Amino acid sequence: MLVFKFGGASVKDAAGVANLANVVKKYAGGPLLIVVSAMGKTTNALEKLTKAYFEQHDSMHILYDEIKQYHYGIMHELFGSEHPVFDEINNTFVEIDWMLEDEPVDTFDFIYDQLVSVGELLSTRIVDAYLSQSGLNSKWLDVRGYIHTDNTYREGVVDWTKTCESIQQDIPAMLSQNIIVTQGFLGGTSENFTTTLGREGSDYTASIFAACLNAKSVTTWKDVPGVLNADPKLFTDTVKFDELSYAEAMEMTYYGATVIHPKTIKPLQNAGIPLLVKPFGDPEAPGTKIGNTSNQSFEKAVIIVKDNQVLLSVSAKDYSFITEKHLSNVYNIFAQNLLKVNVLQTSALSLSACFDFIDERFEKLMGQLQENFNVKYNSNLKLITLRHFEQGLIKQLTEGKKVLLEQTSRNTAQIVFASN
Ligand code: ASP
Ligand code: MG
């Protein structure tokens, strides 16, 4: 069996959904499970809505209306004005209507998952209805009954044993009858609340299904020809990798390459399942194959850029040396706030850590750190990570920039600098 994943960009409009159906048709002869993300930038829009709702801001209604209109617009193009899918979508929105009517009482992260998850519920309903309309035998599956997580909202931790049990129990029989269409990014708790697996987590969903079902491969369909050495929106002259090892792909995602979600590779590697990254506009093209290979070459360095970084500098209040005890205290606070450190450097008197700036978590983090430490920070920074680089490239990329931190090892260089 095959697992396909279609990201938001591939279903951002009616033409995208139609293209998805064409791709799927080519593979409809064998068992196929399709994981779909929210359409276009819907997850970002829902994040904004969640914030507005949590703060009871007036913009809430406008934001919500835009999300509705966007989906109805696509549906009108795909289905005309009458189709049973309109009822399903109306019902999905009604649940949000109810939620938004009351003032928020739960934690932000909990509310986030209940609201933001709607993006995938909507997109999969639409895709499933369109595949059926195109003559394909598709079936909509609510993933929340299969991917079981704990209740770490926004970063649900998957219970693999329970998840694989549920999947193996039901899905093979369904796949012998239907193409399954299900939501990426979502999970469910034992109390039937919705969780999300972390931004861009749909790849991970695909990899969980593939691992539990021992799929032949996972294909993630993208708006790029495959895995490139750098983001083509930021760099010209990018090159595509034909093959990459699991290890290299894992390194790349660890450092922030957004082409694949970081948690995706490991389960596939354990099960020996290849991950194909292919262009949705050209389904016959080979793309990139990530798997067991020694056949990878780096004619150009891998360049990974992360924006919106913050660099913290933490020192002891009495200006004493930074000890292991201090380090472990600081790291505990990072972990409690679900922060992932992108670069770390310690000196005698301070610890510097660079991570993604997450507005809702920053104030709490600062408060906790400041109880025991002096903390300084710079925000709005850029982090560039290079792999398989030559020294000249560092110079070229940092020319005229205010570099705040640089760390180089044999294969990897990381540079933090001011964005402008
Ligand atoms: N829709 C979710 C996001 O944008 C999950 C995904 O795209 O993989 O983060
Ligand atoms: Mg998305």
Side-chain angles (χ1 to χ4, degrees), residues 7-9 37-38 40 43 120 199-200 202:
S37 305
T43 305
E120 272 71 13
R199 282 302 307 263
E200 308 302 330
S202 298

Side-chain angles (χ1 to χ4, degrees), residues 27 31 36 80 93 165 226 275 286 298 351 354 370 377 382 402:
Y27 296 87
V36 186
F93 280 127
E165 258 171 34
L275 173 63
F298 298 99
L351 167 151
C354 171
Q370 279 164 341
Y377 72 92
K382 221 184 240 310
K402 187 176 166 221

Side-chain angles (χ1 to χ4, degrees), residues 162-177:
K162 220 172 138 195
T163 296
C164 273
E165 258 171 34
S166 303
I167 290 177
Q168 285 162 0
Q169 193 171 27
D170 293 353
I171 306 291
M174 285 184 207
L175 280 172
S176 67
Q177 306 284 324

Side-chain angles (χ1 to χ4, degrees), residues 24-218:
V24 169
K25 268 185 197 157
K26 293 187 201 299
Y27 296 87
L32 177 62
L33 183 140
I34 304 171
V35 172
V36 186
S37 305
M39 297 179 132
K41 303 266 179 238
T42 301
T43 305
N44 291 351
L46 286 163
E47 276 190 348
K48 278 197 197 137
L49 172 66
T50 307
K51 240 178 135 189
Y53 167 64
F54 198 70
E55 291 162 4
Q56 291 289 290
H57 198 278
D58 287 344
S59 63
M60 177 171 113
H61 300 286
I62 299 170
L63 292 168
Y64 183 38
D65 214 49
E66 280 171 4
I67 296 167
K68 279 186 167 171
Q69 292 321 318
Y70 170 61
H71 285 87
Y72 284 123
I74 293 175
M75 288 163 65
H76 282 297
E77 274 191 62
L78 293 172
F79 306 106
S81 56
E82 271 199 49
H83 189 284
V85 72
F86 281 95
D87 278 344
E88 290 165 1
I89 299 294
N90 293 344
N91 290 342
T92 310
F93 280 127
V94 165
E95 283 182 40
I96 303 207
D97 296 339
W98 285 340
M99 235 182 115
L100 297 183
E101 259 169 37
D102 296 326
E103 286 187 13
V105 286
D106 292 296
T107 65
F108 181 82
D109 288 354
F110 175 83
I111 294 172
Y112 177 104
D113 279 2
Q114 311 318 304
L115 276 175
V116 169
S117 54
V118 167
E120 272 71 13
L121 298 173
L122 295 168
S123 68
T124 48
R125 286 282 185 203
I126 294 172
V127 165
D128 169 55
Y130 189 74
L131 290 179
S132 298
Q133 178 173 282
S134 314
L136 291 160
N137 206 356
S138 88
K139 184 183 170 72
W140 184 85
L141 182 87
D142 190 335
V143 82
R144 295 170 295 182
Y146 292 89
I147 304 230
H148 303 284
T149 72
D150 69 358
N151 56 8
T152 314
Y153 294 102
R154 293 180 76 178
E155 285 288 340
V157 177
V158 173
D159 179 336
W160 273 86
T161 312
K162 220 172 138 195
T163 296
C164 273
E165 258 171 34
S166 303
I167 290 177
Q168 285 162 0
Q169 193 171 27
D170 293 353
I171 306 291
M174 285 184 207
L175 280 172
S176 67
Q177 306 284 324
N178 293 101
I179 293 172
I180 295 180
V181 176
T182 199
Q183 306 80 44
F185 180 52
L186 313 188
T189 67
S190 49
E191 298 92 38
N192 288 327
F193 288 116
T194 306
T195 51
T196 60
L197 307 177
R199 282 302 307 263
E200 308 302 330
S202 298
D203 295 339
Y204 184 40
T205 308
S207 137
I208 296 168
F209 275 103
C212 296
L213 293 166
N214 197 20
K216 192 166 148 242
S217 63
V218 175

